[in-house]
Amino acid sequence: MAAAVETSCSEFLNWEVESSVCNESKQKKQLSASQRRCYNFYRRKSFAAFVASVQNVCQVKGSTSWCCCGQTFSEHSAIHKHVAKSHNSEVQQLTEAAYEHLLKQLEQEAEPAKECKAEVADISVWIPDIGQVSEENLRKGPGKVLLYYHYCQVDDPHVICAWQKALCEKLHLTGKIRVAAEGINGTVGGTNVATDIYISAMLSHPVFKMEKEDFKTSDGGAECFTDLKVGVFKEIVPMGVDPDAVSYKLAGTHLDPVEFHKEVEALLANRDSSDDTILLDCRNFYESKIGQFTRCLAPNIRKFSYFPDYIDQNLELFRNKKVLMYCTGGIRCERGSAYLCSKDVCKEVYQLKGGIHKYLESFPEGFYRGKLFVFDERYTISSNNDVIADCRYCGLPWDQYELCSTQFCCQLVLSCPSCRKKGCTACCPSCQRKGETQDKEASDVEHPKEECECTDTRARIPQDISSEGSLLVERTSLTLLPGSSTTISGCRFCRG
């Protein structure tokens, strides 16, 4: 057994690590937040791979143990502590090798982007003349945040990427824009003058046949984003399914806010119809937790790329049902409804055109209650005063997200002012303990622990079908089903 373990461990140690990568760990504190998250992700993966390499599964008894350094461990916690204490250097080597491999891949993918930057002459015709607009009007004054997307054929995404970057920089806009062969998806912030010019430029571009109503607006500005990120991707919304395999052209029927409101009204008026109709929230659990439509089904998923698996594992729930789908701005419903339609199990599939954003413009006191989560520094916007979430420490009504106070943790936490004053600012018990000791142990602990409790205890894909195949839809952000083997309520401590 010892020889087998030694051989298994050596497989990881045989990875070649260049000296330049080893120096990376010394410079880790100089990495940006996104780079640190990426580096820490590879460290967690490397740690898990090392632990798996010493795992021993008994086929007869069905038990699992780990053998390392002449010792046998029967508990996860025990082997984790051993690896963290005795094999940190090996895990570090794995991490650095994987991180170096990623950097090389990114460099290769960035080469086409560098080439498109050279084509400034080709994109200059699409840059509006703003000579009559003062720099002060572009930088200072009342502002707003734009949210938009448009599906269409883009023959050269890199040229569009270069144009968008040049346009936003000229207008002093910040935000995030994804360009792909299937279209464009963006959210940008700036002054009212700058964002109006941006909309005009988008409407006049020959590739995008957009209308002004395609843009959703909210109060804000350039300060709502830390910087400007423009890139070329395979999908303009990351569902993780090849657009060639499931195209947006297969999407469900669009309903404008008035039509969607009438459908929800009819659903709520006739409770018997709930057996035939599902009001489906396509967003992540932390979004629906603070705001949602009354009596919706809100899957307990952490990101949209889990949505296809959620559909696959819950097909019987949707069989012969009428489905009303909604999301923040409409884009996730485009691909999500297309994927659901491709399964050919639903009676009808509809989606809210323009998403919750457009619905709230028409019905600020309608059937959507609570806050609307947005992916910028604001975290939420609102049109009504309902608070449907609670502080995960004391349980009092609270729906204002903050980042976990523990270094390198990017989880969101609902902690009311009273609890925050008491120092309750972390997303889970392990992060709270780590936060209390990280200053004392900063010199000894270079990396955060392998997994945050909030994500470690959460089922990746929930099963929303009971043993009888029935569905219970409640006015809660996370739906718990009778007879289900999966706890849908998430982490007991953080209610997330």
Side-chain angles (χ1 to χ4, degrees):
M1 174 60 69
V5 171
E6 187 174 329
T7 302
S8 184
C9 289
S10 67
E11 292 179 4
F12 295 99
L13 299 181
N14 286 335
W15 286 28
E16 294 184 3
V17 184
E18 298 182 10
S19 59
S20 61
V21 187
C22 294
N23 293 331
E24 188 74 24
S25 60
K26 300 177 182 179
Q27 303 169 359
K28 183 169 180 291
K29 292 183 180 180
Q30 300 177 6
L31 297 177
S32 67
S34 60
Q35 289 172 325
R36 287 198 301 269
R37 288 196 296 270
C38 181
Y39 187 92
N40 291 330
F41 168 77
Y42 277 106
R43 181 169 175 80
R44 291 194 298 271
K45 297 288 286 187
S46 299
F47 188 97
F50 191 96
V51 171
S53 73
V54 297
Q55 182 175 331
N56 179 39
V57 180
C58 180
Q59 298 294 339
V60 178
K61 297 182 179 181
S63 61
T64 301
S65 61
W66 295 265
C67 299
C68 190
C69 298
Q71 303 178 62
T72 300
F73 305 88
S74 58
E75 299 291 336
H76 276 94
S77 58
I79 183 63
H80 283 182
K81 289 180 181 178
H82 171 76
V83 172
K85 182 177 181 180
S86 304
H87 298 282
N88 183 64
S89 60
E90 290 97 323
V91 174
Q92 182 74 11
Q93 283 185 319
L94 295 178
T95 305
E96 291 170 344
Y99 190 71
E100 171 70 7
H101 181 66
L102 173 67
L103 292 179
K104 289 181 178 179
Q105 281 186 321
L106 293 177
E107 288 177 1
Q108 294 174 354
E109 293 175 0
E111 289 178 1
K114 292 178 181 178
E115 294 176 3
C116 79
K117 290 180 181 178
E119 302 181 14
V120 176
D122 294 332
I123 64 174
S124 61
V125 67
W126 302 329
I127 303 294
D129 181 9
I130 57 174
Q132 303 301 317
V133 182
S134 68
E135 279 288 307
E136 185 175 2
N137 286 334
L138 294 177
R139 291 176 177 271
K140 300 179 181 180
K144 56 192 172 189
V145 171
L146 304 179
L147 178 67
Y148 70 91
Y149 71 89
H150 188 69
Y151 279 102
C152 64
Q153 180 63 40
V154 179
D155 294 329
D156 196 336
H158 290 287
V159 172
I160 298 298
C161 175
W163 165 61
Q164 281 290 309
K165 191 171 187 298
L167 175 63
C168 290
E169 288 177 346
K170 188 168 186 177
L171 297 174
H172 303 290
L173 301 179
T174 58
K176 296 171 284 188
I177 300 172
R178 296 174 66 98
V179 184
E182 64 174 356
I184 187 171
N185 174 25
T187 176
V188 295
T191 65
N192 288 336
V193 173
T195 50
D196 286 343
I197 295 174
Y198 180 83
I199 292 176
S200 297
M202 291 293 293
L203 296 179
S204 62
H205 197 282
V207 172
F208 307 109
K209 298 177 175 60
M210 300 181 69
E211 300 178 0
K212 197 167 184 177
E213 66 176 16
D214 292 328
F215 294 86
K216 279 76 72 172
T217 64
S218 56
D219 293 336
E223 70 278 2
C224 294
F225 302 91
T226 56
D227 54 16
L228 173 67
K229 297 178 182 178
V230 185
V232 175
F233 300 86
K234 183 71 173 179
E235 306 170 275
I236 60 174
V237 60
M239 188 171 74
V241 177
D242 193 327
D244 294 332
V246 179
S247 170
Y248 68 90
K249 297 177 181 178
L250 300 175
T253 304
H254 292 79
L255 298 178
D256 63 36
V258 174
E259 295 171 323
F260 194 85
H261 183 82
K262 290 180 179 178
E263 288 287 347
V264 177
E265 187 175 40
L267 174 65
L268 299 179
N270 183 8
R271 285 192 169 270
D272 294 335
S273 67
S274 62
D275 293 334
D276 301 317
T277 303
I278 295 177
L279 181 56
L280 179 62
D281 193 323
C282 295
R283 302 172 301 159
N284 305 319
F285 78 90
Y286 54 85
E287 299 176 76
S288 58
K289 183 178 180 66
I290 62 172
Q292 58 181 230
F293 276 93
T294 306
R295 289 179 60 207
C296 73
L297 169 64
N300 191 30
I301 56 176
R302 193 163 59 87
K303 47 188 174 182
F304 187 54
S305 58
Y306 295 174
F307 186 78
D309 285 341
Y310 170 80
I311 295 297
D312 291 341
Q313 294 187 27
N314 294 278
L315 281 179
E316 289 305 312
L317 186 153
F318 299 102
R319 189 173 299 280
N320 298 321
K321 299 291 178 62
K322 176 181 179 179
V323 179
L324 304 171
M325 301 174 68
Y326 69 88
C327 61
T328 305
I331 188 170
R332 280 179 279 188
C333 283
E334 299 283 4
R335 292 296 307 284
S337 66
Y339 189 83
L340 182 56
C341 287
S342 72
K343 299 302 175 179
D344 197 28
V345 296
C346 299
K347 182 168 61 177
E348 300 170 284
V349 177
Y350 297 94
Q351 65 186 78
L352 174 57
K353 183 178 180 181
I356 302 167
H357 250 290
K358 284 294 184 183
Y359 178 86
L360 291 179
E361 289 179 11
S362 301
F363 301 97
E365 294 293 339
F367 298 117
Y368 184 89
R369 311 308 302 176
K371 303 293 189 297
L372 172 60
F373 185 92
V374 290
F375 291 91
D376 57 53
E377 298 298 309
R378 298 171 299 174
Y379 292 131
T380 63
I381 57 178
S382 62
S383 65
N384 58 70
N385 296 321
D386 285 10
V387 178
I388 70 169
D390 52 33
C391 171
R392 60 100 166 151
Y393 283 100
C394 67
L396 291 177
W398 186 252
D399 59 7
Q400 300 297 314
Y401 277 121
E402 297 280 354
L403 279 177
C404 176
S405 57
T406 306
Q407 190 178 22
F408 301 143
C409 181
C410 299
Q411 302 290 327
L412 291 171
V413 56
L414 291 173
S415 179
C416 69
S418 177
C419 290
R420 294 188 73 82
K421 287 180 180 179
K422 298 175 183 177
C424 301
T425 57
C427 64
C428 63
S430 64
C431 272
Q432 188 69 35
R433 291 191 297 271
K434 184 164 55 179
E436 294 170 353
T437 60
Q438 66 182 5
D439 291 336
K440 301 177 183 178
E441 303 177 356
S443 58
D444 300 326
V445 182
E446 183 180 356
H447 305 283
K449 292 190 177 181
E450 295 309 309
E451 192 72 18
C452 175
E453 278 188 15
C454 290
T455 54
D456 194 35
T457 60
R458 177 176 298 280
R460 183 180 183 276
I461 307 298
Q463 298 254 347
D464 276 358
I465 299 179
S466 69
S467 57
E468 296 83 14
S470 60
L471 166 69
L472 174 65
V473 181
E474 298 178 342
R475 193 186 182 284
T476 58
S477 53
L478 301 177
T479 306
L480 184 62
L481 304 169
S484 172
S485 60
T486 301
T487 301
I488 306 301
S489 58
C491 174
R492 170 185 58 80
F493 185 85
C494 69
R495 299 181 179 89

